[in-house]
PDB file of all heavy atoms in Angstrom:
ATOM      1  N   PHE A  33      -1.886   0.485   7.928  1.00  0.00           N
ATOM      2  CA  PHE A  33      -1.397   1.780   8.251  1.00  0.00           C
ATOM      3  C   PHE A  33      -0.394   1.728   9.454  1.00  0.00           C
ATOM      4  O   PHE A  33       0.509   2.591   9.489  1.00  0.00           O
ATOM      5  CB  PHE A  33      -2.593   2.747   8.586  1.00  0.00           C
ATOM      6  CG  PHE A  33      -3.327   3.212   7.339  1.00  0.00           C
ATOM      7  CD1 PHE A  33      -4.619   3.105   7.233  1.00  0.00           C
ATOM      8  CD2 PHE A  33      -2.600   3.809   6.309  1.00  0.00           C
ATOM      9  CE1 PHE A  33      -5.339   3.536   6.075  1.00  0.00           C
ATOM     10  CE2 PHE A  33      -3.192   4.242   5.136  1.00  0.00           C
ATOM     11  CZ  PHE A  33      -4.589   4.133   5.067  1.00  0.00           C
ATOM     12  N   ALA A  34      -0.569   0.831  10.406  1.00  0.00           N
ATOM     13  CA  ALA A  34       0.390   0.733  11.494  1.00  0.00           C
ATOM     14  C   ALA A  34       1.727   0.242  10.897  1.00  0.00           C
ATOM     15  O   ALA A  34       2.805   0.835  11.296  1.00  0.00           O
ATOM     16  CB  ALA A  34      -0.153  -0.293  12.487  1.00  0.00           C
ATOM     17  N   MET A  35       1.692  -0.633   9.887  1.00  0.00           N
ATOM     18  CA  MET A  35       3.010  -1.039   9.272  1.00  0.00           C
ATOM     19  C   MET A  35       3.640   0.200   8.567  1.00  0.00           C
ATOM     20  O   MET A  35       4.846   0.363   8.631  1.00  0.00           O
ATOM     21  CB  MET A  35       2.714  -2.134   8.280  1.00  0.00           C
ATOM     22  CG  MET A  35       2.329  -3.463   8.914  1.00  0.00           C
ATOM     23  SD  MET A  35       2.028  -4.744   7.665  1.00  0.00           S
ATOM     24  CE  MET A  35       3.794  -4.975   7.083  1.00  0.00           C
ATOM     25  N   LEU A  36       2.856   0.970   7.877  1.00  0.00           N
ATOM     26  CA  LEU A  36       3.367   2.095   7.179  1.00  0.00           C
ATOM     27  C   LEU A  36       3.942   3.112   8.195  1.00  0.00           C
ATOM     28  O   LEU A  36       5.033   3.625   7.858  1.00  0.00           O
ATOM     29  CB  LEU A  36       2.295   2.789   6.367  1.00  0.00           C
ATOM     30  CG  LEU A  36       1.720   2.017   5.140  1.00  0.00           C
ATOM     31  CD1 LEU A  36       0.671   2.835   4.507  1.00  0.00           C
ATOM     32  CD2 LEU A  36       2.827   1.640   4.203  1.00  0.00           C
ATOM     33  N   GLU A  37       3.308   3.321   9.228  1.00  0.00           N
ATOM     34  CA  GLU A  37       3.811   4.285  10.276  1.00  0.00           C
ATOM     35  C   GLU A  37       5.119   3.794  10.833  1.00  0.00           C
ATOM     36  O   GLU A  37       5.972   4.610  11.216  1.00  0.00           O
ATOM     37  CB  GLU A  37       2.753   4.491  11.373  1.00  0.00           C
ATOM     38  CG  GLU A  37       1.559   5.342  10.957  1.00  0.00           C
ATOM     39  CD  GLU A  37       1.958   6.760  10.530  1.00  0.00           C
ATOM     40  OE1 GLU A  37       2.867   7.325  11.112  1.00  0.00           O
ATOM     41  OE2 GLU A  37       1.309   7.247   9.571  1.00  0.00           O
ATOM     42  N   ARG A  38       5.258   2.471  10.990  1.00  0.00           N
ATOM     43  CA  ARG A  38       6.511   1.867  11.499  1.00  0.00           C
ATOM     44  C   ARG A  38       7.594   1.794  10.376  1.00  0.00           C
ATOM     45  O   ARG A  38       8.681   1.295  10.718  1.00  0.00           O
ATOM     46  CB  ARG A  38       6.200   0.479  12.053  1.00  0.00           C
ATOM     47  CG  ARG A  38       5.395   0.540  13.335  1.00  0.00           C
ATOM     48  CD  ARG A  38       5.372  -0.845  14.065  1.00  0.00           C
ATOM     49  NE  ARG A  38       4.876  -1.925  13.180  1.00  0.00           N
ATOM     50  CZ  ARG A  38       3.621  -2.370  13.078  1.00  0.00           C
ATOM     51  NH1 ARG A  38       2.651  -1.771  13.770  1.00  0.00           N
ATOM     52  NH2 ARG A  38       3.350  -3.341  12.294  1.00  0.00           N
ATOM     53  N   ARG A  39       7.239   2.160   9.207  1.00  0.00           N
ATOM     54  CA  ARG A  39       8.115   2.118   8.026  1.00  0.00           C
ATOM     55  C   ARG A  39       8.581   0.634   7.820  1.00  0.00           C
ATOM     56  O   ARG A  39       9.768   0.471   7.634  1.00  0.00           O
ATOM     57  CB  ARG A  39       9.283   3.099   8.209  1.00  0.00           C
ATOM     58  CG  ARG A  39       8.961   4.501   8.476  1.00  0.00           C
ATOM     59  CD  ARG A  39       8.141   5.107   7.374  1.00  0.00           C
ATOM     60  NE  ARG A  39       8.037   6.561   7.364  1.00  0.00           N
ATOM     61  CZ  ARG A  39       6.920   7.259   7.606  1.00  0.00           C
ATOM     62  NH1 ARG A  39       5.858   6.653   7.928  1.00  0.00           N
ATOM     63  NH2 ARG A  39       6.932   8.575   7.497  1.00  0.00           N
ATOM     64  N   GLU A  40       7.677  -0.243   7.797  1.00  0.00           N
ATOM     65  CA  GLU A  40       7.984  -1.668   7.529  1.00  0.00           C
ATOM     66  C   GLU A  40       7.629  -1.984   6.088  1.00  0.00           C
ATOM     67  O   GLU A  40       6.739  -1.443   5.545  1.00  0.00           O
ATOM     68  CB  GLU A  40       7.148  -2.549   8.521  1.00  0.00           C
ATOM     69  CG  GLU A  40       7.564  -2.354  10.014  1.00  0.00           C
ATOM     70  CD  GLU A  40       6.716  -3.239  10.872  1.00  0.00           C
ATOM     71  OE1 GLU A  40       5.822  -3.895  10.340  1.00  0.00           O
ATOM     72  OE2 GLU A  40       6.987  -3.255  12.064  1.00  0.00           O
ATOM     73  N   SER A  41       8.360  -2.962   5.528  1.00  0.00           N
ATOM     74  CA  SER A  41       8.011  -3.526   4.253  1.00  0.00           C
ATOM     75  C   SER A  41       6.734  -4.280   4.302  1.00  0.00           C
ATOM     76  O   SER A  41       6.364  -4.719   5.327  1.00  0.00           O
ATOM     77  CB  SER A  41       9.114  -4.415   3.778  1.00  0.00           C
ATOM     78  OG  SER A  41      10.347  -3.753   3.621  1.00  0.00           O
ATOM     79  N   PHE A  42       5.995  -4.302   3.153  1.00  0.00           N
ATOM     80  CA  PHE A  42       4.774  -5.111   3.093  1.00  0.00           C
ATOM     81  C   PHE A  42       4.688  -5.725   1.668  1.00  0.00           C
ATOM     82  O   PHE A  42       5.298  -5.188   0.722  1.00  0.00           O
ATOM     83  CB  PHE A  42       3.513  -4.287   3.413  1.00  0.00           C
ATOM     84  CG  PHE A  42       3.346  -3.166   2.505  1.00  0.00           C
ATOM     85  CD1 PHE A  42       2.537  -3.282   1.350  1.00  0.00           C
ATOM     86  CD2 PHE A  42       3.920  -1.894   2.711  1.00  0.00           C
ATOM     87  CE1 PHE A  42       2.364  -2.204   0.491  1.00  0.00           C
ATOM     88  CE2 PHE A  42       3.703  -0.846   1.842  1.00  0.00           C
ATOM     89  CZ  PHE A  42       2.928  -0.961   0.728  1.00  0.00           C
ATOM     90  N   SER A  43       4.016  -6.884   1.596  1.00  0.00           N
ATOM     91  CA  SER A  43       3.844  -7.611   0.308  1.00  0.00           C
ATOM     92  C   SER A  43       2.430  -7.999   0.070  1.00  0.00           C
ATOM     93  O   SER A  43       1.715  -8.409   0.986  1.00  0.00           O
ATOM     94  CB  SER A  43       4.742  -8.787   0.305  1.00  0.00           C
ATOM     95  OG  SER A  43       6.112  -8.448   0.422  1.00  0.00           O
ATOM     96  N   ASN A  44       1.998  -7.842  -1.161  1.00  0.00           N
ATOM     97  CA  ASN A  44       0.751  -8.335  -1.658  1.00  0.00           C
ATOM     98  C   ASN A  44      -0.449  -7.899  -0.736  1.00  0.00           C
ATOM     99  O   ASN A  44      -1.305  -8.720  -0.479  1.00  0.00           O
ATOM    100  CB  ASN A  44       0.767  -9.878  -1.784  1.00  0.00           C
ATOM    101  CG  ASN A  44       1.833 -10.357  -2.677  1.00  0.00           C
ATOM    102  OD1 ASN A  44       2.057  -9.742  -3.727  1.00  0.00           O
ATOM    103  ND2 ASN A  44       2.629 -11.335  -2.297  1.00  0.00           N
ATOM    104  N   PHE A  45      -0.411  -6.625  -0.394  1.00  0.00           N
ATOM    105  CA  PHE A  45      -1.544  -6.066   0.297  1.00  0.00           C
ATOM    106  C   PHE A  45      -2.715  -5.858  -0.763  1.00  0.00           C
ATOM    107  O   PHE A  45      -2.468  -5.064  -1.729  1.00  0.00           O
ATOM    108  CB  PHE A  45      -1.195  -4.757   1.062  1.00  0.00           C
ATOM    109  CG  PHE A  45      -2.353  -4.161   1.738  1.00  0.00           C
ATOM    110  CD1 PHE A  45      -2.831  -4.695   2.948  1.00  0.00           C
ATOM    111  CD2 PHE A  45      -2.934  -2.982   1.258  1.00  0.00           C
ATOM    112  CE1 PHE A  45      -3.884  -4.092   3.651  1.00  0.00           C
ATOM    113  CE2 PHE A  45      -3.971  -2.408   1.888  1.00  0.00           C
ATOM    114  CZ  PHE A  45      -4.526  -2.987   3.086  1.00  0.00           C
ATOM    115  N   GLU A  46      -3.848  -6.380  -0.574  1.00  0.00           N
ATOM    116  CA  GLU A  46      -4.896  -6.287  -1.589  1.00  0.00           C
ATOM    117  C   GLU A  46      -6.005  -5.310  -1.104  1.00  0.00           C
ATOM    118  O   GLU A  46      -6.439  -5.330   0.099  1.00  0.00           O
ATOM    119  CB  GLU A  46      -5.544  -7.650  -1.816  1.00  0.00           C
ATOM    120  CG  GLU A  46      -4.565  -8.602  -2.471  1.00  0.00           C
ATOM    121  CD  GLU A  46      -5.093  -9.964  -2.726  1.00  0.00           C
ATOM    122  OE1 GLU A  46      -6.309 -10.192  -2.601  1.00  0.00           O
ATOM    123  OE2 GLU A  46      -4.407 -10.854  -3.181  1.00  0.00           O
ATOM    124  N   TYR A  47      -6.375  -4.520  -1.971  1.00  0.00           N
ATOM    125  CA  TYR A  47      -7.589  -3.604  -1.705  1.00  0.00           C
ATOM    126  C   TYR A  47      -8.227  -3.257  -3.025  1.00  0.00           C
ATOM    127  O   TYR A  47      -7.729  -3.520  -4.133  1.00  0.00           O
ATOM    128  CB  TYR A  47      -7.143  -2.350  -0.923  1.00  0.00           C
ATOM    129  CG  TYR A  47      -6.303  -1.354  -1.707  1.00  0.00           C
ATOM    130  CD1 TYR A  47      -6.899  -0.258  -2.294  1.00  0.00           C
ATOM    131  CD2 TYR A  47      -4.912  -1.476  -1.702  1.00  0.00           C
ATOM    132  CE1 TYR A  47      -6.052   0.659  -2.938  1.00  0.00           C
ATOM    133  CE2 TYR A  47      -4.116  -0.642  -2.397  1.00  0.00           C
ATOM    134  CZ  TYR A  47      -4.696   0.512  -2.989  1.00  0.00           C
ATOM    135  OH  TYR A  47      -3.896   1.407  -3.643  1.00  0.00           O
ATOM    136  N   VAL A  48      -9.427  -2.639  -2.910  1.00  0.00           N
ATOM    137  CA  VAL A  48     -10.203  -2.210  -4.144  1.00  0.00           C
ATOM    138  C   VAL A  48     -10.097  -0.699  -4.234  1.00  0.00           C
ATOM    139  O   VAL A  48     -10.543   0.062  -3.387  1.00  0.00           O
ATOM    140  CB  VAL A  48     -11.650  -2.721  -3.999  1.00  0.00           C
ATOM    141  CG1 VAL A  48     -12.349  -2.294  -5.357  1.00  0.00           C
ATOM    142  CG2 VAL A  48     -11.673  -4.162  -3.748  1.00  0.00           C
ATOM    143  N   ALA A  49      -9.488  -0.260  -5.337  1.00  0.00           N
ATOM    144  CA  ALA A  49      -9.378   1.125  -5.609  1.00  0.00           C
ATOM    145  C   ALA A  49     -10.558   1.516  -6.530  1.00  0.00           C
ATOM    146  O   ALA A  49     -11.377   0.662  -6.929  1.00  0.00           O
ATOM    147  CB  ALA A  49      -8.067   1.439  -6.275  1.00  0.00           C
ATOM    148  N   ARG A  50     -10.579   2.751  -6.868  1.00  0.00           N
ATOM    149  CA  ARG A  50     -11.652   3.195  -7.833  1.00  0.00           C
ATOM    150  C   ARG A  50     -10.948   3.869  -8.972  1.00  0.00           C
ATOM    151  O   ARG A  50      -9.949   4.592  -8.826  1.00  0.00           O
ATOM    152  CB  ARG A  50     -12.621   4.186  -7.157  1.00  0.00           C
ATOM    153  CG  ARG A  50     -11.937   5.475  -6.691  1.00  0.00           C
ATOM    154  CD  ARG A  50     -12.885   6.353  -5.904  1.00  0.00           C
ATOM    155  NE  ARG A  50     -12.149   7.452  -5.280  1.00  0.00           N
ATOM    156  CZ  ARG A  50     -12.104   8.697  -5.761  1.00  0.00           C
ATOM    157  NH1 ARG A  50     -12.730   8.962  -6.838  1.00  0.00           N
ATOM    158  NH2 ARG A  50     -11.403   9.615  -5.176  1.00  0.00           N
ATOM    159  N   SER A  51     -11.456   3.661 -10.205  1.00  0.00           N
ATOM    160  CA  SER A  51     -10.976   4.272 -11.344  1.00  0.00           C
ATOM    161  C   SER A  51     -11.493   5.755 -11.334  1.00  0.00           C
ATOM    162  O   SER A  51     -12.392   6.058 -10.530  1.00  0.00           O
ATOM    163  CB  SER A  51     -11.428   3.605 -12.643  1.00  0.00           C
ATOM    164  OG  SER A  51     -12.764   3.826 -12.845  1.00  0.00           O
ATOM    165  N   LYS A  52     -11.023   6.549 -12.255  1.00  0.00           N
ATOM    166  CA  LYS A  52     -11.537   7.941 -12.308  1.00  0.00           C
ATOM    167  C   LYS A  52     -12.956   7.950 -12.641  1.00  0.00           C
ATOM    168  O   LYS A  52     -13.731   8.830 -12.179  1.00  0.00           O
ATOM    169  CB  LYS A  52     -10.718   8.753 -13.301  1.00  0.00           C
ATOM    170  CG  LYS A  52     -11.000  10.242 -13.263  1.00  0.00           C
ATOM    171  CD  LYS A  52      -9.964  10.999 -14.048  1.00  0.00           C
ATOM    172  CE  LYS A  52     -10.202  12.512 -13.846  1.00  0.00           C
ATOM    173  NZ  LYS A  52      -9.168  13.346 -14.429  1.00  0.00           N
ATOM    174  N   ALA A  53     -13.434   6.942 -13.359  1.00  0.00           N
ATOM    175  CA  ALA A  53     -14.850   6.807 -13.733  1.00  0.00           C
ATOM    176  C   ALA A  53     -15.729   6.187 -12.661  1.00  0.00           C
ATOM    177  O   ALA A  53     -16.879   6.102 -12.705  1.00  0.00           O
ATOM    178  CB  ALA A  53     -15.006   5.996 -14.960  1.00  0.00           C
ATOM    179  N   GLY A  54     -15.038   5.723 -11.526  1.00  0.00           N
ATOM    180  CA  GLY A  54     -15.699   5.232 -10.404  1.00  0.00           C
ATOM    181  C   GLY A  54     -15.826   3.644 -10.340  1.00  0.00           C
ATOM    182  O   GLY A  54     -16.349   3.122  -9.419  1.00  0.00           O
ATOM    183  N   ALA A  55     -15.291   3.020 -11.341  1.00  0.00           N
ATOM    184  CA  ALA A  55     -15.299   1.521 -11.385  1.00  0.00           C
ATOM    185  C   ALA A  55     -14.300   0.948 -10.353  1.00  0.00           C
ATOM    186  O   ALA A  55     -13.233   1.525 -10.229  1.00  0.00           O
ATOM    187  CB  ALA A  55     -15.030   1.061 -12.780  1.00  0.00           C
ATOM    188  N   PRO A  56     -14.632  -0.248  -9.832  1.00  0.00           N
ATOM    189  CA  PRO A  56     -13.615  -0.866  -8.919  1.00  0.00           C
ATOM    190  C   PRO A  56     -12.406  -1.379  -9.753  1.00  0.00           C
ATOM    191  O   PRO A  56     -12.566  -1.910 -10.812  1.00  0.00           O
ATOM    192  CB  PRO A  56     -14.467  -2.014  -8.353  1.00  0.00           C
ATOM    193  CG  PRO A  56     -15.621  -2.219  -9.146  1.00  0.00           C
ATOM    194  CD  PRO A  56     -15.876  -0.969  -9.931  1.00  0.00           C
ATOM    195  N   VAL A  57     -11.221  -1.236  -9.086  1.00  0.00           N
ATOM    196  CA  VAL A  57      -9.967  -1.775  -9.654  1.00  0.00           C
ATOM    197  C   VAL A  57      -9.294  -2.491  -8.496  1.00  0.00           C
ATOM    198  O   VAL A  57      -9.041  -1.963  -7.489  1.00  0.00           O
ATOM    199  CB  VAL A  57      -9.084  -0.615 -10.098  1.00  0.00           C
ATOM    200  CG1 VAL A  57      -7.779  -1.137 -10.668  1.00  0.00           C
ATOM    201  CG2 VAL A  57      -9.775   0.266 -11.175  1.00  0.00           C
ATOM    202  N   HIS A  58      -9.172  -3.827  -8.668  1.00  0.00           N
ATOM    203  CA  HIS A  58      -8.635  -4.668  -7.619  1.00  0.00           C
ATOM    204  C   HIS A  58      -7.080  -4.629  -7.699  1.00  0.00           C
ATOM    205  O   HIS A  58      -6.518  -4.871  -8.775  1.00  0.00           O
ATOM    206  CB  HIS A  58      -9.114  -6.075  -7.738  1.00  0.00           C
ATOM    207  CG  HIS A  58     -10.594  -6.218  -7.526  1.00  0.00           C
ATOM    208  ND1 HIS A  58     -11.074  -6.474  -6.278  1.00  0.00           N
ATOM    209  CD2 HIS A  58     -11.682  -6.028  -8.297  1.00  0.00           C
ATOM    210  CE1 HIS A  58     -12.460  -6.540  -6.392  1.00  0.00           C
ATOM    211  NE2 HIS A  58     -12.729  -6.196  -7.518  1.00  0.00           N
ATOM    212  N   LEU A  59      -6.396  -4.231  -6.602  1.00  0.00           N
ATOM    213  CA  LEU A  59      -4.993  -4.087  -6.653  1.00  0.00           C
ATOM    214  C   LEU A  59      -4.335  -4.922  -5.567  1.00  0.00           C
ATOM    215  O   LEU A  59      -4.916  -5.187  -4.479  1.00  0.00           O
ATOM    216  CB  LEU A  59      -4.570  -2.613  -6.318  1.00  0.00           C
ATOM    217  CG  LEU A  59      -5.092  -1.501  -7.288  1.00  0.00           C
ATOM    218  CD1 LEU A  59      -4.699  -0.153  -6.828  1.00  0.00           C
ATOM    219  CD2 LEU A  59      -4.490  -1.790  -8.696  1.00  0.00           C
ATOM    220  N   SER A  60      -3.117  -5.375  -5.829  1.00  0.00           N
ATOM    221  CA  SER A  60      -2.237  -5.992  -4.850  1.00  0.00           C
ATOM    222  C   SER A  60      -0.964  -5.235  -4.883  1.00  0.00           C
ATOM    223  O   SER A  60      -0.328  -5.169  -5.979  1.00  0.00           O
ATOM    224  CB  SER A  60      -2.083  -7.498  -5.259  1.00  0.00           C
ATOM    225  OG  SER A  60      -1.058  -8.097  -4.444  1.00  0.00           O
ATOM    226  N   VAL A  61      -0.607  -4.617  -3.834  1.00  0.00           N
ATOM    227  CA  VAL A  61       0.553  -3.811  -3.750  1.00  0.00           C
ATOM    228  C   VAL A  61       1.646  -4.282  -2.799  1.00  0.00           C
ATOM    229  O   VAL A  61       1.306  -4.895  -1.812  1.00  0.00           O
ATOM    230  CB  VAL A  61       0.187  -2.328  -3.390  1.00  0.00           C
ATOM    231  CG1 VAL A  61      -0.751  -1.725  -4.497  1.00  0.00           C
ATOM    232  CG2 VAL A  61      -0.418  -2.194  -2.041  1.00  0.00           C
ATOM    233  N   SER A  62       2.872  -3.990  -3.107  1.00  0.00           N
ATOM    234  CA  SER A  62       3.969  -4.286  -2.222  1.00  0.00           C
ATOM    235  C   SER A  62       4.876  -3.045  -2.124  1.00  0.00           C
ATOM    236  O   SER A  62       4.944  -2.323  -3.096  1.00  0.00           O
ATOM    237  CB  SER A  62       4.875  -5.505  -2.790  1.00  0.00           C
ATOM    238  OG  SER A  62       4.113  -6.615  -2.912  1.00  0.00           O
ATOM    239  N   GLY A  63       5.543  -2.874  -1.012  1.00  0.00           N
ATOM    240  CA  GLY A  63       6.401  -1.712  -0.894  1.00  0.00           C
ATOM    241  C   GLY A  63       7.470  -1.904   0.167  1.00  0.00           C
ATOM    242  O   GLY A  63       7.367  -2.758   1.076  1.00  0.00           O
ATOM    243  N   GLN A  64       8.518  -1.023   0.161  1.00  0.00           N
ATOM    244  CA  GLN A  64       9.469  -1.079   1.138  1.00  0.00           C
ATOM    245  C   GLN A  64       9.899   0.387   1.369  1.00  0.00           C
ATOM    246  O   GLN A  64       9.959   1.133   0.459  1.00  0.00           O
ATOM    247  CB  GLN A  64      10.592  -1.949   0.813  1.00  0.00           C
ATOM    248  CG  GLN A  64      11.533  -1.497  -0.202  1.00  0.00           C
ATOM    249  CD  GLN A  64      12.678  -2.421  -0.463  1.00  0.00           C
ATOM    250  OE1 GLN A  64      12.537  -3.648  -0.574  1.00  0.00           O
ATOM    251  NE2 GLN A  64      13.949  -1.871  -0.405  1.00  0.00           N
ATOM    252  N   PRO A  65      10.264   0.660   2.688  1.00  0.00           N
ATOM    253  CA  PRO A  65      10.670   2.044   2.963  1.00  0.00           C
ATOM    254  C   PRO A  65      12.140   2.246   2.527  1.00  0.00           C
ATOM    255  O   PRO A  65      12.926   1.335   2.456  1.00  0.00           O
ATOM    256  CB  PRO A  65      10.603   2.122   4.511  1.00  0.00           C
ATOM    257  CG  PRO A  65      10.759   0.705   4.901  1.00  0.00           C
ATOM    258  CD  PRO A  65      10.185  -0.119   3.913  1.00  0.00           C
ATOM    259  N   VAL A  66      12.468   3.472   2.143  1.00  0.00           N
ATOM    260  CA  VAL A  66      13.836   3.915   1.854  1.00  0.00           C
ATOM    261  C   VAL A  66      14.109   5.062   2.801  1.00  0.00           C
ATOM    262  O   VAL A  66      13.394   6.006   2.851  1.00  0.00           O
ATOM    263  CB  VAL A  66      13.868   4.414   0.371  1.00  0.00           C
ATOM    264  CG1 VAL A  66      15.243   4.919   0.070  1.00  0.00           C
ATOM    265  CG2 VAL A  66      13.492   3.323  -0.567  1.00  0.00           C
ATOM    266  N   PHE A  67      15.235   4.850   3.488  1.00  0.00           N
ATOM    267  CA  PHE A  67      15.634   5.828   4.527  1.00  0.00           C
ATOM    268  C   PHE A  67      16.717   6.745   4.082  1.00  0.00           C
ATOM    269  O   PHE A  67      17.723   6.310   3.391  1.00  0.00           O
ATOM    270  CB  PHE A  67      16.060   5.040   5.775  1.00  0.00           C
ATOM    271  CG  PHE A  67      14.957   4.250   6.482  1.00  0.00           C
ATOM    272  CD1 PHE A  67      14.864   2.949   6.074  1.00  0.00           C
ATOM    273  CD2 PHE A  67      14.050   4.803   7.234  1.00  0.00           C
ATOM    274  CE1 PHE A  67      13.906   2.125   6.676  1.00  0.00           C
ATOM    275  CE2 PHE A  67      13.010   4.015   7.861  1.00  0.00           C
ATOM    276  CZ  PHE A  67      12.938   2.686   7.553  1.00  0.00           C
ATOM    277  N   GLY A  68      16.703   7.965   4.470  1.00  0.00           N
ATOM    278  CA  GLY A  68      17.761   8.919   4.202  1.00  0.00           C
ATOM    279  C   GLY A  68      18.901   8.725   5.212  1.00  0.00           C
ATOM    280  O   GLY A  68      18.730   7.957   6.224  1.00  0.00           O
ATOM    281  N   THR A  69      19.968   9.481   4.983  1.00  0.00           N
ATOM    282  CA  THR A  69      21.096   9.378   5.914  1.00  0.00           C
ATOM    283  C   THR A  69      20.795   9.800   7.343  1.00  0.00           C
ATOM    284  O   THR A  69      21.415   9.375   8.326  1.00  0.00           O
ATOM    285  CB  THR A  69      22.242  10.168   5.409  1.00  0.00           C
ATOM    286  OG1 THR A  69      21.833  11.558   5.240  1.00  0.00           O
ATOM    287  CG2 THR A  69      22.793   9.724   4.118  1.00  0.00           C
TER     288      THR A  69
END
């Protein structure tokens, strides 16, 4: 969350989400910020 607040890119952040039925879903996410003018 500190990286997100600083608007930094991140790669392969892993966590366990939940499906709508409540089952665990293992995710690996990457992202980068996009800045306006």
Side-chain angles (χ1 to χ4, degrees):
F33 282 128
M35 290 180 71
L36 294 179
E37 288 299 325
R38 292 190 304 266
R39 305 302 196 245
E40 295 177 357
S41 298
F42 61 92
S43 295
N44 302 316
F45 179 76
E46 296 182 4
Y47 69 97
V48 183
R50 63 187 171 99
S51 71
K52 192 166 186 174
V57 179
H58 295 266
L59 299 176
S60 174
V61 298
S62 301
Q64 73 176 49
V66 177
F67 296 97
T69 55

